[in-house]
Amino acid sequence: MKVSAPIPYSQQNDSRRHTPFTQVSSQAMTDNHSAFYWPVMLMTTFLASLITLSSAMADYPVTVQDDRSKSITFEKQPQSVASISVFGADLMWALDQQATGLSTLNHRQSAYLGDQVSRMKDLGEVHETDMERLTELNPDLIIGLRQYTEPFASKFEEIGQFLAFDLVTQEDSEQAIMTVTRALDQAQQGQALNQNFQALKEEFKQKAPGEVSAILIWHWADTLYAFYNHYLSTDIMQSLKVENAMGRSPTPALKKPDSSVLSMERLLRLNPDVILSFTGDEAPISYHPVWQRLKAVQNKRVYRINDQYVMPHGPVAREMVLREMAHLFYPDQFPAPDNIPDAARAKPLTFSER
């Protein structure tokens, strides 16, 4: 059985992120003199035993609250996680674990997660979860994006413990990471992920020259949506001293809408230096005379981006976005990141003929 939700209004080279917090380098031990080898090995074994014992004695039951303001109690540590939207799978990767199931966007797996997606069960489109597959998977925890899952929350709850999040702003990202990691008894790791990302944003901000304008667009069929300032990806853009041409929301006290329809005429008036465009496929953009009048197109600074830009709230996605954005805006100051899979890298946007 499938359930369908309406289409929404809108939509490292840093080894620390991928290294388990308890991992000890065997190379570091073997490089020491043999006199030190066994004491180090014994100490490592002892610490590992303490970690295992601590995990076994975790303070369960644990109660957390998701963005529905609903309290969910976990009697024991979840051992399997299914991800409705890429956020949950992203977070599990950052914790050196793997989700067992993952939804798709535009019937495509999230390329930025790399080869690991082939080891996850395909749960169908993010707004059209395949409940039969999810039931077969029988996860301990289901993590979902609220705008896609809310009409069917009770069905998810029949299958497993269910957490749903809004995921618009950086604050949403940080809070969701903390909620999930508390449920997994990994709150310290969650806090470290948030602190490290904020520190990296500040580091990049200090190096960014500024004096660039840009816009982030989602192509939905033949309709363009452009993101307002408060969306996480455009917030990252602004932290790099880049002016978001779309500007702030007309209702800044509300998180929704996070974007608005953008006409070609308005895009021409805004005429940003750089255009970041998510299309969901590799097909050329439909012809329109405005495109060739835009300075971003004339200067070859219009890029086809991958889904980490429109679903940037996981620890892996948001750092990839920061690093790649910095390079696209300031190629002389920031090198191209080498930790992004080729299929997920920004590429020149192509246009169809008349």
Side-chain angles (χ1 to χ4, degrees), residues 43-77:
M43 180 60 71
T44 301
T45 303
F46 175 69
L47 290 174
S49 299
L50 287 180
I51 292 168
T52 302
L53 179 62
S54 174
S55 178
M57 298 175 63
D59 292 329
Y60 285 92
V62 169
T63 299
V64 299
Q65 190 175 86
D66 67 4
D67 287 346
R68 300 172 293 167
S69 298
K70 182 166 185 175
S71 295
I72 298 93
T73 299
F74 294 82
E75 299 295 337
K76 60 182 180 179
Q77 187 178 45

PDB file of all heavy atoms in Angstrom, residues 43-77:
ATOM      1  N   MET A  43      45.137  -0.239  27.462  1.00  0.00           N
ATOM      2  CA  MET A  43      44.341   0.942  27.794  1.00  0.00           C
ATOM      3  C   MET A  43      43.205   1.121  26.793  1.00  0.00           C
ATOM      4  O   MET A  43      42.070   1.455  27.163  1.00  0.00           O
ATOM      5  CB  MET A  43      45.231   2.188  27.807  1.00  0.00           C
ATOM      6  CG  MET A  43      44.457   3.470  28.142  1.00  0.00           C
ATOM      7  SD  MET A  43      43.660   3.413  29.782  1.00  0.00           S
ATOM      8  CE  MET A  43      45.123   3.513  30.826  1.00  0.00           C
ATOM      9  N   THR A  44      43.484   0.892  25.500  1.00  0.00           N
ATOM     10  CA  THR A  44      42.444   1.003  24.470  1.00  0.00           C
ATOM     11  C   THR A  44      41.318   0.007  24.719  1.00  0.00           C
ATOM     12  O   THR A  44      40.135   0.338  24.624  1.00  0.00           O
ATOM     13  CB  THR A  44      43.053   0.761  23.076  1.00  0.00           C
ATOM     14  OG1 THR A  44      44.079   1.718  22.852  1.00  0.00           O
ATOM     15  CG2 THR A  44      41.990   0.886  21.992  1.00  0.00           C
ATOM     16  N   THR A  45      41.701  -1.233  25.044  1.00  0.00           N
ATOM     17  CA  THR A  45      40.701  -2.262  25.328  1.00  0.00           C
ATOM     18  C   THR A  45      39.862  -1.887  26.540  1.00  0.00           C
ATOM     19  O   THR A  45      38.644  -2.061  26.559  1.00  0.00           O
ATOM     20  CB  THR A  45      41.392  -3.620  25.564  1.00  0.00           C
ATOM     21  OG1 THR A  45      42.182  -3.945  24.421  1.00  0.00           O
ATOM     22  CG2 THR A  45      40.365  -4.719  25.806  1.00  0.00           C
ATOM     23  N   PHE A  46      40.537  -1.348  27.557  1.00  0.00           N
ATOM     24  CA  PHE A  46      39.821  -0.935  28.761  1.00  0.00           C
ATOM     25  C   PHE A  46      38.824   0.177  28.474  1.00  0.00           C
ATOM     26  O   PHE A  46      37.665   0.125  28.907  1.00  0.00           O
ATOM     27  CB  PHE A  46      40.843  -0.464  29.809  1.00  0.00           C
ATOM     28  CG  PHE A  46      40.214   0.111  31.054  1.00  0.00           C
ATOM     29  CD1 PHE A  46      39.520  -0.695  31.939  1.00  0.00           C
ATOM     30  CD2 PHE A  46      40.315   1.474  31.325  1.00  0.00           C
ATOM     31  CE1 PHE A  46      38.933  -0.159  33.089  1.00  0.00           C
ATOM     32  CE2 PHE A  46      39.728   2.016  32.447  1.00  0.00           C
ATOM     33  CZ  PHE A  46      39.043   1.197  33.342  1.00  0.00           C
ATOM     34  N   LEU A  47      39.259   1.187  27.684  1.00  0.00           N
ATOM     35  CA  LEU A  47      38.359   2.287  27.349  1.00  0.00           C
ATOM     36  C   LEU A  47      37.190   1.806  26.508  1.00  0.00           C
ATOM     37  O   LEU A  47      36.050   2.235  26.696  1.00  0.00           O
ATOM     38  CB  LEU A  47      39.132   3.375  26.598  1.00  0.00           C
ATOM     39  CG  LEU A  47      40.148   4.165  27.433  1.00  0.00           C
ATOM     40  CD1 LEU A  47      40.948   5.105  26.533  1.00  0.00           C
ATOM     41  CD2 LEU A  47      39.454   4.951  28.541  1.00  0.00           C
ATOM     42  N   ALA A  48      37.459   0.903  25.569  1.00  0.00           N
ATOM     43  CA  ALA A  48      36.381   0.361  24.745  1.00  0.00           C
ATOM     44  C   ALA A  48      35.372  -0.386  25.602  1.00  0.00           C
ATOM     45  O   ALA A  48      34.163  -0.319  25.376  1.00  0.00           O
ATOM     46  CB  ALA A  48      36.953  -0.567  23.673  1.00  0.00           C
ATOM     47  N   SER A  49      35.871  -1.100  26.623  1.00  0.00           N
ATOM     48  CA  SER A  49      34.964  -1.824  27.527  1.00  0.00           C
ATOM     49  C   SER A  49      34.099  -0.860  28.303  1.00  0.00           C
ATOM     50  O   SER A  49      32.905  -1.104  28.506  1.00  0.00           O
ATOM     51  CB  SER A  49      35.778  -2.695  28.491  1.00  0.00           C
ATOM     52  OG  SER A  49      36.531  -3.653  27.782  1.00  0.00           O
ATOM     53  N   LEU A  50      34.701   0.253  28.740  1.00  0.00           N
ATOM     54  CA  LEU A  50      33.919   1.262  29.461  1.00  0.00           C
ATOM     55  C   LEU A  50      32.830   1.852  28.584  1.00  0.00           C
ATOM     56  O   LEU A  50      31.699   2.073  29.019  1.00  0.00           O
ATOM     57  CB  LEU A  50      34.836   2.382  29.965  1.00  0.00           C
ATOM     58  CG  LEU A  50      35.745   2.056  31.151  1.00  0.00           C
ATOM     59  CD1 LEU A  50      36.579   3.293  31.514  1.00  0.00           C
ATOM     60  CD2 LEU A  50      34.926   1.608  32.361  1.00  0.00           C
ATOM     61  N   ILE A  51      33.175   2.118  27.306  1.00  0.00           N
ATOM     62  CA  ILE A  51      32.193   2.674  26.375  1.00  0.00           C
ATOM     63  C   ILE A  51      31.046   1.702  26.165  1.00  0.00           C
ATOM     64  O   ILE A  51      29.871   2.068  26.177  1.00  0.00           O
ATOM     65  CB  ILE A  51      32.875   3.029  25.048  1.00  0.00           C
ATOM     66  CG1 ILE A  51      33.827   4.205  25.251  1.00  0.00           C
ATOM     67  CG2 ILE A  51      31.841   3.371  23.974  1.00  0.00           C
ATOM     68  CD1 ILE A  51      34.758   4.454  24.087  1.00  0.00           C
ATOM     69  N   THR A  52      31.382   0.408  25.984  1.00  0.00           N
ATOM     70  CA  THR A  52      30.344  -0.605  25.799  1.00  0.00           C
ATOM     71  C   THR A  52      29.457  -0.697  27.021  1.00  0.00           C
ATOM     72  O   THR A  52      28.225  -0.773  26.926  1.00  0.00           O
ATOM     73  CB  THR A  52      30.989  -1.965  25.508  1.00  0.00           C
ATOM     74  OG1 THR A  52      31.799  -1.855  24.349  1.00  0.00           O
ATOM     75  CG2 THR A  52      29.934  -3.041  25.297  1.00  0.00           C
ATOM     76  N   LEU A  53      30.087  -0.687  28.230  1.00  0.00           N
ATOM     77  CA  LEU A  53      29.308  -0.762  29.460  1.00  0.00           C
ATOM     78  C   LEU A  53      28.420   0.450  29.624  1.00  0.00           C
ATOM     79  O   LEU A  53      27.248   0.356  30.005  1.00  0.00           O
ATOM     80  CB  LEU A  53      30.267  -0.878  30.663  1.00  0.00           C
ATOM     81  CG  LEU A  53      29.613  -0.948  32.054  1.00  0.00           C
ATOM     82  CD1 LEU A  53      28.739  -2.199  32.142  1.00  0.00           C
ATOM     83  CD2 LEU A  53      30.678  -0.965  33.140  1.00  0.00           C
ATOM     84  N   SER A  54      28.980   1.632  29.292  1.00  0.00           N
ATOM     85  CA  SER A  54      28.193   2.862  29.396  1.00  0.00           C
ATOM     86  C   SER A  54      26.978   2.814  28.488  1.00  0.00           C
ATOM     87  O   SER A  54      25.882   3.222  28.858  1.00  0.00           O
ATOM     88  CB  SER A  54      29.066   4.066  29.048  1.00  0.00           C
ATOM     89  OG  SER A  54      28.309   5.244  29.011  1.00  0.00           O
ATOM     90  N   SER A  55      27.180   2.287  27.248  1.00  0.00           N
ATOM     91  CA  SER A  55      26.067   2.179  26.310  1.00  0.00           C
ATOM     92  C   SER A  55      25.004   1.240  26.838  1.00  0.00           C
ATOM     93  O   SER A  55      23.809   1.498  26.715  1.00  0.00           O
ATOM     94  CB  SER A  55      26.583   1.706  24.946  1.00  0.00           C
ATOM     95  OG  SER A  55      25.520   1.548  24.044  1.00  0.00           O
ATOM     96  N   ALA A  56      25.466   0.130  27.426  1.00  0.00           N
ATOM     97  CA  ALA A  56      24.514  -0.846  27.947  1.00  0.00           C
ATOM     98  C   ALA A  56      23.722  -0.285  29.119  1.00  0.00           C
ATOM     99  O   ALA A  56      22.590  -0.696  29.376  1.00  0.00           O
ATOM    100  CB  ALA A  56      25.261  -2.110  28.370  1.00  0.00           C
ATOM    101  N   MET A  57      24.337   0.663  29.858  1.00  0.00           N
ATOM    102  CA  MET A  57      23.686   1.228  31.040  1.00  0.00           C
ATOM    103  C   MET A  57      23.063   2.585  30.731  1.00  0.00           C
ATOM    104  O   MET A  57      22.842   3.387  31.631  1.00  0.00           O
ATOM    105  CB  MET A  57      24.715   1.370  32.173  1.00  0.00           C
ATOM    106  CG  MET A  57      25.319   0.048  32.618  1.00  0.00           C
ATOM    107  SD  MET A  57      26.616   0.272  33.846  1.00  0.00           S
ATOM    108  CE  MET A  57      25.705   1.015  35.199  1.00  0.00           C
ATOM    109  N   ALA A  58      22.811   2.880  29.456  1.00  0.00           N
ATOM    110  CA  ALA A  58      22.248   4.172  29.072  1.00  0.00           C
ATOM    111  C   ALA A  58      20.943   4.433  29.807  1.00  0.00           C
ATOM    112  O   ALA A  58      20.220   3.505  30.173  1.00  0.00           O
ATOM    113  CB  ALA A  58      22.018   4.205  27.573  1.00  0.00           C
ATOM    114  N   ASP A  59      20.667   5.701  30.036  1.00  0.00           N
ATOM    115  CA  ASP A  59      19.509   6.089  30.834  1.00  0.00           C
ATOM    116  C   ASP A  59      18.232   6.001  30.026  1.00  0.00           C
ATOM    117  O   ASP A  59      17.660   7.012  29.620  1.00  0.00           O
ATOM    118  CB  ASP A  59      19.716   7.510  31.382  1.00  0.00           C
ATOM    119  CG  ASP A  59      20.832   7.559  32.405  1.00  0.00           C
ATOM    120  OD1 ASP A  59      21.031   6.554  33.095  1.00  0.00           O
ATOM    121  OD2 ASP A  59      21.483   8.605  32.506  1.00  0.00           O
ATOM    122  N   TYR A  60      17.789   4.800  29.764  1.00  0.00           N
ATOM    123  CA  TYR A  60      16.496   4.592  29.141  1.00  0.00           C
ATOM    124  C   TYR A  60      15.517   4.167  30.224  1.00  0.00           C
ATOM    125  O   TYR A  60      15.922   3.548  31.211  1.00  0.00           O
ATOM    126  CB  TYR A  60      16.599   3.518  28.037  1.00  0.00           C
ATOM    127  CG  TYR A  60      17.268   4.026  26.790  1.00  0.00           C
ATOM    128  CD1 TYR A  60      18.640   3.882  26.604  1.00  0.00           C
ATOM    129  CD2 TYR A  60      16.539   4.661  25.786  1.00  0.00           C
ATOM    130  CE1 TYR A  60      19.260   4.359  25.472  1.00  0.00           C
ATOM    131  CE2 TYR A  60      17.154   5.133  24.641  1.00  0.00           C
ATOM    132  CZ  TYR A  60      18.509   4.982  24.488  1.00  0.00           C
ATOM    133  OH  TYR A  60      19.127   5.460  23.356  1.00  0.00           O
ATOM    134  N   PRO A  61      14.249   4.535  30.083  1.00  0.00           N
ATOM    135  CA  PRO A  61      13.633   5.194  28.920  1.00  0.00           C
ATOM    136  C   PRO A  61      14.050   6.654  28.772  1.00  0.00           C
ATOM    137  O   PRO A  61      14.350   7.329  29.747  1.00  0.00           O
ATOM    138  CB  PRO A  61      12.134   5.078  29.193  1.00  0.00           C
ATOM    139  CG  PRO A  61      12.039   4.988  30.678  1.00  0.00           C
ATOM    140  CD  PRO A  61      13.248   4.236  31.140  1.00  0.00           C
ATOM    141  N   VAL A  62      14.057   7.116  27.496  1.00  0.00           N
ATOM    142  CA  VAL A  62      14.370   8.495  27.138  1.00  0.00           C
ATOM    143  C   VAL A  62      13.167   9.076  26.416  1.00  0.00           C
ATOM    144  O   VAL A  62      12.600   8.442  25.520  1.00  0.00           O
ATOM    145  CB  VAL A  62      15.610   8.553  26.215  1.00  0.00           C
ATOM    146  CG1 VAL A  62      15.781   9.941  25.627  1.00  0.00           C
ATOM    147  CG2 VAL A  62      16.856   8.145  26.975  1.00  0.00           C
ATOM    148  N   THR A  63      12.780  10.290  26.795  1.00  0.00           N
ATOM    149  CA  THR A  63      11.653  10.971  26.142  1.00  0.00           C
ATOM    150  C   THR A  63      12.157  12.216  25.433  1.00  0.00           C
ATOM    151  O   THR A  63      12.871  13.031  26.033  1.00  0.00           O
ATOM    152  CB  THR A  63      10.566  11.351  27.153  1.00  0.00           C
ATOM    153  OG1 THR A  63      10.063  10.166  27.776  1.00  0.00           O
ATOM    154  CG2 THR A  63       9.408  12.066  26.473  1.00  0.00           C
ATOM    155  N   VAL A  64      11.824  12.351  24.163  1.00  0.00           N
ATOM    156  CA  VAL A  64      12.200  13.519  23.375  1.00  0.00           C
ATOM    157  C   VAL A  64      10.937  14.108  22.757  1.00  0.00           C
ATOM    158  O   VAL A  64       9.875  13.472  22.726  1.00  0.00           O
ATOM    159  CB  VAL A  64      13.222  13.163  22.272  1.00  0.00           C
ATOM    160  CG1 VAL A  64      14.502  12.615  22.882  1.00  0.00           C
ATOM    161  CG2 VAL A  64      12.636  12.176  21.272  1.00  0.00           C
ATOM    162  N   GLN A  65      11.061  15.324  22.251  1.00  0.00           N
ATOM    163  CA  GLN A  65       9.922  16.003  21.620  1.00  0.00           C
ATOM    164  C   GLN A  65      10.312  16.447  20.219  1.00  0.00           C
ATOM    165  O   GLN A  65      11.347  17.077  20.038  1.00  0.00           O
ATOM    166  CB  GLN A  65       9.483  17.198  22.460  1.00  0.00           C
ATOM    167  CG  GLN A  65       8.167  17.821  22.006  1.00  0.00           C
ATOM    168  CD  GLN A  65       7.713  18.918  22.952  1.00  0.00           C
ATOM    169  OE1 GLN A  65       8.117  20.071  22.816  1.00  0.00           O
ATOM    170  NE2 GLN A  65       6.876  18.567  23.907  1.00  0.00           N
ATOM    171  N   ASP A  66       9.480  16.103  19.235  1.00  0.00           N
ATOM    172  CA  ASP A  66       9.775  16.505  17.870  1.00  0.00           C
ATOM    173  C   ASP A  66       9.058  17.799  17.521  1.00  0.00           C
ATOM    174  O   ASP A  66       8.495  18.475  18.400  1.00  0.00           O
ATOM    175  CB  ASP A  66       9.447  15.377  16.885  1.00  0.00           C
ATOM    176  CG  ASP A  66       7.953  15.078  16.776  1.00  0.00           C
ATOM    177  OD1 ASP A  66       7.143  15.789  17.401  1.00  0.00           O
ATOM    178  OD2 ASP A  66       7.593  14.106  16.063  1.00  0.00           O
ATOM    179  N   ASP A  67       9.063  18.185  16.250  1.00  0.00           N
ATOM    180  CA  ASP A  67       8.500  19.474  15.860  1.00  0.00           C
ATOM    181  C   ASP A  67       6.980  19.488  15.792  1.00  0.00           C
ATOM    182  O   ASP A  67       6.384  20.518  15.482  1.00  0.00           O
ATOM    183  CB  ASP A  67       9.087  19.917  14.511  1.00  0.00           C
ATOM    184  CG  ASP A  67      10.532  20.361  14.633  1.00  0.00           C
ATOM    185  OD1 ASP A  67      10.993  20.576  15.768  1.00  0.00           O
ATOM    186  OD2 ASP A  67      11.213  20.494  13.591  1.00  0.00           O
ATOM    187  N   ARG A  68       6.356  18.363  16.085  1.00  0.00           N
ATOM    188  CA  ARG A  68       4.902  18.343  16.270  1.00  0.00           C
ATOM    189  C   ARG A  68       4.531  18.675  17.703  1.00  0.00           C
ATOM    190  O   ARG A  68       3.359  18.623  18.072  1.00  0.00           O
ATOM    191  CB  ARG A  68       4.341  16.957  15.906  1.00  0.00           C
ATOM    192  CG  ARG A  68       4.593  16.513  14.486  1.00  0.00           C
ATOM    193  CD  ARG A  68       4.180  15.058  14.301  1.00  0.00           C
ATOM    194  NE  ARG A  68       5.034  14.152  15.069  1.00  0.00           N
ATOM    195  CZ  ARG A  68       4.776  12.868  15.292  1.00  0.00           C
ATOM    196  NH1 ARG A  68       3.662  12.330  14.795  1.00  0.00           N
ATOM    197  NH2 ARG A  68       5.611  12.117  15.998  1.00  0.00           N
ATOM    198  N   SER A  69       5.551  18.968  18.522  1.00  0.00           N
ATOM    199  CA  SER A  69       5.377  19.150  19.980  1.00  0.00           C
ATOM    200  C   SER A  69       4.826  17.877  20.617  1.00  0.00           C
ATOM    201  O   SER A  69       4.116  17.922  21.624  1.00  0.00           O
ATOM    202  CB  SER A  69       4.455  20.338  20.287  1.00  0.00           C
ATOM    203  OG  SER A  69       5.007  21.538  19.814  1.00  0.00           O
ATOM    204  N   LYS A  70       5.195  16.759  20.032  1.00  0.00           N
ATOM    205  CA  LYS A  70       4.753  15.467  20.542  1.00  0.00           C
ATOM    206  C   LYS A  70       5.905  14.789  21.260  1.00  0.00           C
ATOM    207  O   LYS A  70       7.029  14.720  20.745  1.00  0.00           O
ATOM    208  CB  LYS A  70       4.255  14.579  19.398  1.00  0.00           C
ATOM    209  CG  LYS A  70       3.736  13.244  19.870  1.00  0.00           C
ATOM    210  CD  LYS A  70       2.946  12.529  18.792  1.00  0.00           C
ATOM    211  CE  LYS A  70       2.331  11.244  19.333  1.00  0.00           C
ATOM    212  NZ  LYS A  70       1.453  10.587  18.350  1.00  0.00           N
ATOM    213  N   SER A  71       5.638  14.283  22.438  1.00  0.00           N
ATOM    214  CA  SER A  71       6.650  13.574  23.218  1.00  0.00           C
ATOM    215  C   SER A  71       6.663  12.105  22.825  1.00  0.00           C
ATOM    216  O   SER A  71       5.614  11.452  22.780  1.00  0.00           O
ATOM    217  CB  SER A  71       6.364  13.719  24.714  1.00  0.00           C
ATOM    218  OG  SER A  71       6.482  15.080  25.113  1.00  0.00           O
ATOM    219  N   ILE A  72       7.850  11.594  22.552  1.00  0.00           N
ATOM    220  CA  ILE A  72       8.030  10.196  22.152  1.00  0.00           C
ATOM    221  C   ILE A  72       9.004   9.564  23.131  1.00  0.00           C
ATOM    222  O   ILE A  72      10.100  10.080  23.355  1.00  0.00           O
ATOM    223  CB  ILE A  72       8.561  10.075  20.708  1.00  0.00           C
ATOM    224  CG1 ILE A  72       7.559  10.673  19.718  1.00  0.00           C
ATOM    225  CG2 ILE A  72       8.841   8.627  20.358  1.00  0.00           C
ATOM    226  CD1 ILE A  72       7.816  12.117  19.387  1.00  0.00           C
ATOM    227  N   THR A  73       8.617   8.448  23.720  1.00  0.00           N
ATOM    228  CA  THR A  73       9.442   7.759  24.704  1.00  0.00           C
ATOM    229  C   THR A  73      10.076   6.518  24.099  1.00  0.00           C
ATOM    230  O   THR A  73       9.397   5.692  23.490  1.00  0.00           O
ATOM    231  CB  THR A  73       8.612   7.372  25.934  1.00  0.00           C
ATOM    232  OG1 THR A  73       8.095   8.554  26.547  1.00  0.00           O
ATOM    233  CG2 THR A  73       9.458   6.621  26.959  1.00  0.00           C
ATOM    234  N   PHE A  74      11.386   6.406  24.279  1.00  0.00           N
ATOM    235  CA  PHE A  74      12.142   5.251  23.823  1.00  0.00           C
ATOM    236  C   PHE A  74      12.517   4.408  25.040  1.00  0.00           C
ATOM    237  O   PHE A  74      13.196   4.888  25.944  1.00  0.00           O
ATOM    238  CB  PHE A  74      13.405   5.700  23.081  1.00  0.00           C
ATOM    239  CG  PHE A  74      13.127   6.420  21.786  1.00  0.00           C
ATOM    240  CD1 PHE A  74      12.808   7.776  21.779  1.00  0.00           C
ATOM    241  CD2 PHE A  74      13.166   5.736  20.581  1.00  0.00           C
ATOM    242  CE1 PHE A  74      12.540   8.430  20.592  1.00  0.00           C
ATOM    243  CE2 PHE A  74      12.898   6.387  19.386  1.00  0.00           C
ATOM    244  CZ  PHE A  74      12.576   7.737  19.387  1.00  0.00           C
ATOM    245  N   GLU A  75      12.076   3.168  25.047  1.00  0.00           N
ATOM    246  CA  GLU A  75      12.363   2.275  26.164  1.00  0.00           C
ATOM    247  C   GLU A  75      13.782   1.720  26.084  1.00  0.00           C
ATOM    248  O   GLU A  75      14.347   1.314  27.097  1.00  0.00           O
ATOM    249  CB  GLU A  75      11.360   1.119  26.192  1.00  0.00           C
ATOM    250  CG  GLU A  75       9.912   1.552  26.368  1.00  0.00           C
ATOM    251  CD  GLU A  75       9.651   2.214  27.720  1.00  0.00           C
ATOM    252  OE1 GLU A  75      10.431   1.953  28.676  1.00  0.00           O
ATOM    253  OE2 GLU A  75       8.680   2.997  27.812  1.00  0.00           O
ATOM    254  N   LYS A  76      14.329   1.684  24.879  1.00  0.00           N
ATOM    255  CA  LYS A  76      15.695   1.201  24.690  1.00  0.00           C
ATOM    256  C   LYS A  76      16.289   1.913  23.481  1.00  0.00           C
ATOM    257  O   LYS A  76      15.584   2.581  22.727  1.00  0.00           O
ATOM    258  CB  LYS A  76      15.720  -0.308  24.493  1.00  0.00           C
ATOM    259  CG  LYS A  76      14.922  -0.791  23.286  1.00  0.00           C
ATOM    260  CD  LYS A  76      14.946  -2.308  23.185  1.00  0.00           C
ATOM    261  CE  LYS A  76      14.147  -2.791  21.965  1.00  0.00           C
ATOM    262  NZ  LYS A  76      14.179  -4.264  21.842  1.00  0.00           N
ATOM    263  N   GLN A  77      17.591   1.746  23.295  1.00  0.00           N
ATOM    264  CA  GLN A  77      18.300   2.424  22.208  1.00  0.00           C
ATOM    265  C   GLN A  77      17.865   1.861  20.855  1.00  0.00           C
ATOM    266  O   GLN A  77      17.924   0.651  20.633  1.00  0.00           O
ATOM    267  CB  GLN A  77      19.805   2.240  22.380  1.00  0.00           C
ATOM    268  CG  GLN A  77      20.648   3.026  21.409  1.00  0.00           C
ATOM    269  CD  GLN A  77      22.128   2.841  21.669  1.00  0.00           C
ATOM    270  OE1 GLN A  77      22.586   1.713  21.879  1.00  0.00           O
ATOM    271  NE2 GLN A  77      22.875   3.940  21.668  1.00  0.00           N
TER     272      GLN A  77
END
